[in-house]
Amino acid sequence: MLGPLTAQVADAPFRLRGGKRRILLATLLLRANRTVPVEEIVERMWGPRPQGSRIGALQVQVARLRAALAKIHDSPLITSSASGYRIELAAHQLDLLRFRELMLAAREAEHQGDLPRRCDALRQAVDLWRGPVLLDISSDTLHEQDVSQVREELLRATEERCGAEIARGRPGEVLDLLAGVTARHPEREELVRLRMTALYQCGRQSEALEAYEKTRRVLADRLGVDPGRGLRETFHGVLRGTLEAPSVPRQRSARITAVRGRAWRGQRSVPAQLPADTNGFVGRAEELVEVERRVGGGPRSAGRVLISGPRGAGCTALAVHWAHGAARSFPDGQLYVDLRGEGGAPLPPGMVLRRFLGAFGVVEGVPVDTDERAALLRSVLASRRVLMVLDNANCAAQVRPLLPGASSCGVIVTSRYWLADLIARDGMPALAVGALSEEEAVELLRDLVGARRAAAETGAVRRLAEAAERLPLPIRMVAAWLTTHPDSGIAELAAEIEARREADVVERVAAALGGDPRFLLGDPPPSGCAWRE
């Protein structure tokens, strides 16, 4: 994948014919081991607004691709589901997966302070890049939405590799690599800065100055801008003969980097703040596909979504479950905060901003003003691919200062309320989460109370799931009660809940369980603020 699309079996080339089939295969490979929704495959094969339904044509192409792959692989590689198709491969079978595996190994070595091992992993990863990614695949949508993300990953890996080699004192190792990649991407300032540093350290000062001048002209002609501060400082360092190796980030050492005039101290930090995934997550297939469509994907399609539903619907569980599955697509970290929007005192955005800045090592000189903190966080996230989960929001004003400016960052907001101001003013798409289907609710309750006990009272299990309004939290509450009270009957508990008249199902279930504080999960919502379809 990291060049023209090629395949081989036991060192013999395998030729896949057919333009549409090659687009289909490339689409699945770019998201290997993940389900790609049917509508996204159709869009990549026939354009954003194809004439008429293409579902039948897609099924024909899938069948032909399966038949072609069956000649070289014993078991089926492509599987289907109600929402789309996926291809299952191991890391050694696909260079893109192997590349990401090596990048994870490089980050582990970085955290352990093992610079030689990090350099080796980065070298192997970058060496997999064989040229323009999928240049032989004719699909504008595929290149805009998917290939652009892979290209960005490769460029950032190249920056990491070159920076690590220079920090190790081996600038000559990456001079040829930097010459080639800066020729293809002359506007990539960080790569140019690294090349200037490597040239300078190899005693080639005049070539470093020529590289700066060439980049200055490219930026002016193509973008109408001047070089950024980092590149200008490197230029002056070369010009004065004062440029030193510490201008390239060192691994596992304290450092200070300018972030709009503030001190950024400490090691490069990759936050992983997601809470634990829900054990026994059931259902929500359509909602997961919608979150993937809204938030996942390449730098242009990584976006935002507001997940809203009534108390107990499992908005948080849905967000966290999807976030765990997509974490590898956001290699620069995952941020999470409970904004405490349901009862109690909602967290002020200024406090959350300080937490998020601290997660990236910004611990000194953090401004007092909330707007200035928000601007500083946007600067920190500008060159990163980060997933942000803002859970349990109270209002749009609590969320808006936390939103990153970079399109490469994904954001999930959950709330019991429709944050209409976010939807209207910020264009944030909304996803309604309601009750589980009848079968999903019964499956969840059966899994939690045990198959033997559920089989003894099959009808009562279904009745109890309905009494809990098929919402995940109330179902888990009654299941916990039944687990800790093995002599209690399922039918009797269902009748007890049905007899209650409290407005909120969570309160109704808690009251039926005797008001045990272990099952009273939070204060009731403010009057008039209940979630509505």
Side-chain angles (χ1 to χ4, degrees):
M1 300 293 291
L2 305 183
L5 178 60
T6 60
Q8 61 184 39
V9 184
D11 298 326
F14 168 73
R15 174 67 177 171
L16 178 66
R17 302 186 183 278
K20 295 301 182 186
R21 253 168 292 168
R22 289 173 63 80
I23 297 173
L24 170 61
L25 179 59
T27 300
L28 297 177
L29 289 175
L30 282 166
R31 282 190 259 178
N33 304 328
R34 295 168 61 187
T35 299
V36 185
V38 166
E39 60 269 20
E40 294 190 18
I41 301 175
V42 169
E43 185 179 42
R44 281 145 181 79
M45 293 178 68
W46 287 283
R49 288 181 293 275
Q51 296 294 322
S53 174
R54 296 286 184 170
I55 303 300
L58 173 60
Q59 291 171 342
V60 170
Q61 294 295 340
V62 170
R64 289 176 178 173
L65 179 57
R66 281 173 168 162
L69 295 177
K71 299 176 183 177
I72 62 171
H73 203 273
D74 294 334
S75 58
L77 291 174
I78 299 175
T79 59
S80 60
S81 64
S83 58
Y85 296 93
R86 66 190 284 154
I87 189 166
E88 294 285 347
L89 292 172
H92 70 275
Q93 294 177 299
L94 181 65
D95 56 358
L96 178 58
L97 294 179
R98 175 59 179 159
F99 167 80
R100 289 171 175 162
E101 184 179 66
L102 287 165
M103 291 303 295
L104 285 176
R107 291 192 177 92
E108 290 177 4
E110 178 185 8
H111 294 154
Q112 295 168 7
D114 191 340
L115 186 54
R117 186 161 65 88
R118 179 170 184 259
C119 287
D120 184 61
L122 289 169
R123 177 187 56 77
Q124 292 184 59
V126 174
D127 284 351
L128 293 171
W129 191 4
R130 297 178 288 109
V133 177
L134 298 180
L135 187 63
D136 55 336
I137 300 298
S138 300
S139 170
D140 292 341
T141 304
L142 185 75
H143 283 274
E144 291 173 5
Q145 301 292 338
D146 302 304
V147 174
S148 58
Q149 175 190 350
V150 175
R151 184 169 58 249
E152 179 66 21
E153 289 182 65
L154 291 166
L155 287 169
R156 294 186 63 182
T158 303
E159 291 171 354
E160 286 192 42
R161 184 205 166 180
C162 295
E165 291 289 1
I166 294 173
R168 195 180 176 188
R170 306 198 311 177
E173 293 287 327
V174 292
L175 274 180
D176 289 343
L177 172 62
L178 283 167
V181 75
T182 53
R184 296 191 299 271
H185 303 276
E187 74 289 346
R188 191 88 177 186
E189 292 190 42
E190 178 60 17
L191 285 170
V192 176
R193 190 184 75 82
L194 289 167
R195 183 175 179 228
M196 291 174 64
T197 302
L199 286 168
Y200 176 82
Q201 291 184 5
C202 290
R204 297 158 65 174
Q205 183 177 5
S206 61
E207 292 180 61
L209 296 175
E210 289 173 7
Y212 174 84
E213 180 59 25
K214 179 180 179 180
T215 300
R216 188 193 64 77
R217 290 196 302 266
V218 168
L219 292 173
D221 294 343
R222 296 186 183 180
L223 305 177
V225 298
D226 295 325
R229 178 178 176 179
L231 193 56
R232 293 198 310 270
E233 288 180 348
T234 302
F235 167 71
H236 289 299
V238 172
L239 193 64
R240 296 167 184 164
T242 58
L243 185 64
E244 297 180 359
S247 64
V248 179
R250 293 178 174 177
Q251 307 308 316
R252 296 284 294 181
S253 62
R255 75 179 195 271
I256 304 176
T257 302
V259 182
R260 292 199 175 185
R262 272 113 187 160
W264 183 356
R265 297 182 180 270
Q267 303 166 8
R268 179 175 176 84
S269 179
V270 180
Q273 299 180 351
L274 295 176
D277 199 358
T278 301
N279 185 37
F281 187 89
V282 170
R284 303 300 190 201
E286 293 182 3
E287 290 86 348
L288 288 168
V289 169
E290 182 65 13
V291 176
E292 172 69 24
R293 186 174 76 87
R294 294 291 186 181
V295 185
R300 294 191 180 185
S301 59
R304 306 167 179 177
V305 69
L306 166 66
I307 301 176
S308 186
R311 191 182 188 194
C315 294
T316 297
L318 171 64
V320 171
H321 182 72
W322 181 87
H324 275 284
R328 291 183 64 178
S329 298
F330 296 89
D332 293 315
Q334 305 87 46
L335 298 171
Y336 172 87
V337 64
D338 180 0
L339 295 173
R340 303 177 190 170
E342 181 184 340
L347 282 182
M351 182 182 298
V352 180
L353 287 166
R354 176 178 281 279
R355 285 189 192 178
F356 284 175
L357 288 167
F360 288 103
V362 184
V363 295
E364 297 180 12
V366 176
V368 176
D369 183 74
T370 297
D371 289 340
E372 290 187 17
R373 287 185 183 180
L376 182 57
L377 180 64
R378 289 194 294 272
S379 298
V380 170
L381 297 179
S383 60
R384 288 174 163 82
R385 183 163 173 78
V386 172
L387 176 63
M388 184 182 291
V389 180
L390 307 175
D391 191 21
N392 200 10
N394 177 265
C395 60
Q398 190 185 23
V399 171
R400 187 171 289 115
L402 309 178
L403 298 178
S407 61
S408 57
C409 294
V411 180
I412 303 176
V413 181
T414 75
S415 179
R416 282 189 53 208
Y417 318 118
W418 286 123
L419 306 183
D421 201 34
L422 275 184
I423 300 172
R425 291 179 56 191
D426 298 85
M428 183 172 289
L431 172 62
V433 176
L436 296 168
S437 70
E438 182 179 357
E439 293 307 315
E440 289 171 346
V442 171
E443 178 187 351
L444 176 59
L445 186 54
R446 184 185 296 116
D447 289 347
L448 293 171
V449 301
R452 181 177 298 179
R453 190 172 185 182
E457 298 184 75
T458 303
V461 168
R462 194 171 296 274
R463 178 182 173 188
L464 181 56
E466 288 294 335
E469 297 188 5
R470 291 185 275 121
L471 294 175
L473 180 58
I475 289 175
R476 291 182 179 277
M477 291 169 65
V478 297
W481 177 268
L482 290 169
T483 300
T484 56
H485 296 74
D487 296 330
S488 299
I490 297 178
E492 289 78 4
L493 181 55
E496 178 68 21
I497 296 171
E498 291 167 346
R500 300 283 171 175
R501 293 292 180 266
E502 289 84 354
D504 184 275
V505 65
V506 176
E507 297 300 320
R508 203 157 61 242
V509 170
L513 302 180
D516 191 324
R518 289 173 299 175
F519 298 95
L520 293 175
L521 306 176
D523 298 323
S527 176
C529 292
W531 184 88
R532 296 182 176 86
E533 290 278 3

